[in-house]
C-alpha cells in the first residue's frame, strides 16, 4: 500500500520517469524545430542515481513506472535501466512512452530486460504530413517500431495521438480504422499547454467532445464503466471488445483521481505535470556528506513532502493559470 497520500486522499502509486529531455523528432506541438535549450548533461541523473531514486519510490509504495522523455530510447543505457528496475525487490509494473523510431532495434532486448507494455506516439498516417509535424521523414521507422513491438510480445501496444485543428483533425476516423485493423489500442490526447515554444492556444486544441462527436459519425461508442485513475475515458466500439481512449486533459480533467508523481531527467520531482515547484532529488543523491541510509531517509521525506503539497488539480481552466517554464519534453508524459 502506498504511503504517498496527499491532502485530498489521493494515493500515489505511479511514477513517471523522464530519462532525457532530448528527442529525435520535433513535434510542432511540443518543441520548435530549432530548439536547443537542452538540460546540461552533467545535471542528468546517472544510471545508479536514477535507480537509487526509483528504489526509494518503490519502497514507499510506487508499483507502476512509466519511462518517458523527451525520447527515452535515446538513452544509451536504456536496456540496463529497464533490467535494473525489473531487478528491484517487488518490481513495479514497467511501461514506456516512445516515438518508436528506435524500437525496431530495441524492442526485443527491452522485453528481455523486463519491459511489458508500450505507448507509441503517432499523430498521422500520412508521410508528408508526418514530415511537416515532426520535421523528420521517419514515419516508416515508426511503423517498423510498431511491428517490432508486437513481434517482441509487448502487450498492449497503445498508440497516442494528438489532434490539432486544421492540421490533422481530419484523421481521427482513419487513425481509428487503422488501429482496429492492426489490433492496436488507440488513445486521443487533448493538446496541453506545455510546449517549449509557449505557443499553445485553446482555439487550436481539438477537444475530447469534438473527438467523440467525430468518431460517433462512423462508430457506435459505449463508455467502459471502470476507469480508476486512468487518464483515458475508454469507449467500446460498435458493441465489441475493442475500445478507443480519449484523454480530455484540459476540458475533462481527471485530477481528482490522479495517482501520479514525476521524476525529471535532471533529478527533480514534481507532484503534477503543471507544478510550479519541484523538489531537488539530485542534490540528495549527490550529497557526499550523507550516508546511504541518510540519503534513503532524505529521499523518502522529499517524496512525502512533494505529495503532501500537491494541489487539487492543474488549474488550466483558472483565469490565474500560468504555463510552467519547464516544457513537456523535459517533464515527460
Ligand atoms: S494535471 Fe496534474 S493533477 Fe491533474 S492528472 Fe495530470 S498530473 Fe495529475
Amino acid at each position: 500500500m502506498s504511503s504517498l497520500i496527499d491532502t485530498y486522499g489521493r494515493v500515489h502509486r505511479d511514477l513517471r520517469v523522464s530519462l532525457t529531455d532530448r528527442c529525435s523528432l520535433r513535434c510542432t506541438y511540443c518543441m520548435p524545430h530549432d530548439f536547443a535549450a537542452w538540460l546540461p548533461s552533467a545535471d542528468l541523473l546517472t544510471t545508479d542515481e536514477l535507480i537509487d531514486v526509483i528504489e526509494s519510490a518503490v519502497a514507499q509504495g510506487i508499483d507502476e513506472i512509466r519511462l518517458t522523455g523527451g525520447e527515452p530510447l535515446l538513452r544509451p543505457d536504456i536496456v540496463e535501466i529497464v533490467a535494473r528496475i525489473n531487478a528491484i525487490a517487488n518490481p513495479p509494473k514497467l511501461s514506456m512512452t516512445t516515438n518508436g523510431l528506435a524500437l525496431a532495434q530495441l524492442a526485443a532486448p527491452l522485453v528481455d530486460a523486463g519491459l511489458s507494455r508500450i505507448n507509441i506516439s503517432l499523430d498521422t498516417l500520412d508521410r508528408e504530413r508526418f514530415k511537416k509535424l515532426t520535421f523528420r521523414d521517419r514515419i516508416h521507422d515508426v511503423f517498423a517500431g510498431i511491428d517490432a513491438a508486437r513481434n517482441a510480445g509487448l502487450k498492449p501496444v497503445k498508440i497516442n495521438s494528438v489532434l490539432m485543428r486544421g492540421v490533422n483533425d481530419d484523421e481521427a476516423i482513419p487513425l481509428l480504422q487503422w488501429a482496429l485493423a492492426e489490433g492496436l489500442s488507440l488513445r486521443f490526447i487533448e493538446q496541453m499547454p506545455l510546449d517549449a515554444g509557449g505557443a499553445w492556444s485553446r482555439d487550436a486544441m481539438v477537444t475530447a467532445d469534438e473527438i467523440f462527436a467525430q468518431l460517433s459519425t462512423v462508430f457506435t461508442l459505449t463508455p467502459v464503466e471502470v476507469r480508476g485513475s486512468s487518464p483515458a475515458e475508454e469507449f467500446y466500439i460498435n458493441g465489441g471488445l475493442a475500445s478507443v481512449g480519449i484523454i480530455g486533459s484540459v476540458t475533462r480533467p481527471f485530477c481528482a483521481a490522479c495517482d501520479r508523481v514525476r521524476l525529471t531527467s535532471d533529478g527533480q520531482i514534481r507532484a503534477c505535470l503543471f507544478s510550479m515547484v519541484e523538489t531537488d532529488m539530485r542534490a540528495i543523491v549527490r550529497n557526499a556528506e550523507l550516508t546511504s541510509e541518510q540519503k534513503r531517509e532524505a529521499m523518502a521525506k522529499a517524496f512525502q513532502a512533494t505529495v503532501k503539497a500537491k494541489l487539487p488539480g492543474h488549474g488550466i481552466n483558472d483565469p490565474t493559470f500560468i504555463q510552467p517554464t519547464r516544457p513537456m519534453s523535459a517533464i515527460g508524459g
Side-chain angles (χ1 to χ4, degrees):
M1 173 64 179
S2 172
S3 62
L4 296 173
I5 304 171
D6 67 24
T7 54
Y8 304 93
R10 295 172 294 190
V11 181
H12 292 70
R13 305 170 26 259
D14 185 344
L15 179 68
R16 305 288 167 106
V17 180
S18 171
L19 294 177
T20 177
D21 62 329
R22 309 257 170 166
C23 191
S24 39
L25 292 179
R26 295 290 180 278
C27 301
T28 52
Y29 56 81
C30 181
M31 66 172 85
H33 68 91
D34 55 359
F35 185 76
W38 308 115
L39 295 168
S41 310
D43 287 357
L44 299 190
L45 293 183
T46 64
T47 317
D48 290 345
E49 292 167 342
L50 196 65
I51 299 302
D52 285 350
V53 177
I54 289 173
E55 282 177 344
S56 169
V58 172
Q60 294 173 81
I62 291 288
D63 60 15
E64 279 205 41
I65 290 194
R66 177 173 292 279
L67 301 176
T68 70
E71 172 48 40
L73 298 182
L74 288 179
R75 284 266 315 215
D77 54 353
I78 185 68
V79 174
E80 180 192 348
I81 289 170
V82 169
R84 290 181 63 180
I85 295 173
N86 210 40
I88 293 173
N90 189 17
K93 275 184 270 172
L94 197 48
S95 60
M96 180 185 288
T97 302
T98 168
N99 64 25
L101 296 194
L103 262 186
Q105 296 77 37
L106 287 169
L110 286 168
V111 168
D112 294 346
L115 188 71
S116 55
R117 299 171 297 150
I118 200 148
N119 290 46
I120 302 166
S121 307
L122 184 65
D123 306 318
T124 177
L125 299 172
D126 178 79
R127 180 181 178 183
E128 288 312 311
R129 188 175 275 176
F130 185 94
K131 279 186 344 194
K132 278 208 193 88
L133 275 174
T134 66
F135 291 87
R136 303 286 187 275
D137 184 12
R138 308 242 356 231
I139 198 170
H140 50 285
D141 288 329
V142 181
F143 290 134
I146 292 169
D147 286 344
R150 280 186 297 211
N151 297 341
L154 285 161
K155 206 175 181 56
V157 174
K158 293 186 178 180
I159 304 295
N160 291 354
S161 294
V162 175
L163 299 179
M164 290 153 284
R165 201 174 304 289
V167 177
N168 62 337
D169 56 346
D170 58 350
E171 279 196 76
I173 293 165
L175 277 163
L176 184 51
Q177 287 165 334
W178 166 78
L180 287 170
E182 295 285 331
L184 300 164
S185 167
L186 181 63
R187 308 122 55 82
F188 293 102
I189 307 175
E190 280 182 348
Q191 192 191 348
M192 291 181 277
L194 274 175
D195 59 307
W200 179 85
S201 92
R202 192 175 284 273
D203 298 341
M205 178 185 72
V206 178
T207 69
D209 289 349
E210 289 174 299
I211 296 167
F212 183 87
Q214 199 182 134
L215 295 176
S216 300
T217 60
V218 171
F219 303 98
T220 303
L221 302 180
T222 320
V224 174
E225 295 309 324
V226 183
R227 180 176 182 185
S229 64
S230 164
E233 289 177 272
E234 291 281 339
F235 301 90
Y236 291 120
I237 301 165
N238 296 342
L241 290 178
S243 66
V244 60
I246 301 177
I247 301 178
S249 318
V250 178
T251 61
R252 300 162 75 96
F254 36 86
C255 305
C258 181
D259 66 349
R260 289 168 290 281
V261 61
R262 292 161 197 276
L263 174 65
T264 66
S265 57
D266 58 344
Q268 311 304 305
I269 45 174
R270 301 169 62 85
C272 166
L273 259 179
F274 294 90
S275 288
M276 300 301 271
V277 292
E278 301 178 333
T279 307
D280 189 352
M281 279 301 210
R282 188 180 71 237
I284 297 172
V285 289
R286 290 185 181 176
N287 186 337
E289 279 154 30
L290 295 179
T291 64
S292 307
E293 185 47 39
Q294 288 169 329
K295 284 181 184 178
R296 275 192 289 277
E297 281 167 23
M299 285 192 276
K301 283 201 183 102
F303 268 116
Q304 293 288 345
T306 301
V307 167
K308 276 282 174 275
K310 184 166 181 163
L311 298 178
H314 53 46
I316 298 171
N317 303 312
D318 301 350
T320 58
F321 174 73
I322 300 170
Q323 178 169 336
T325 50
R326 186 189 281 266
M328 176 71 125
S329 54
I331 301 172

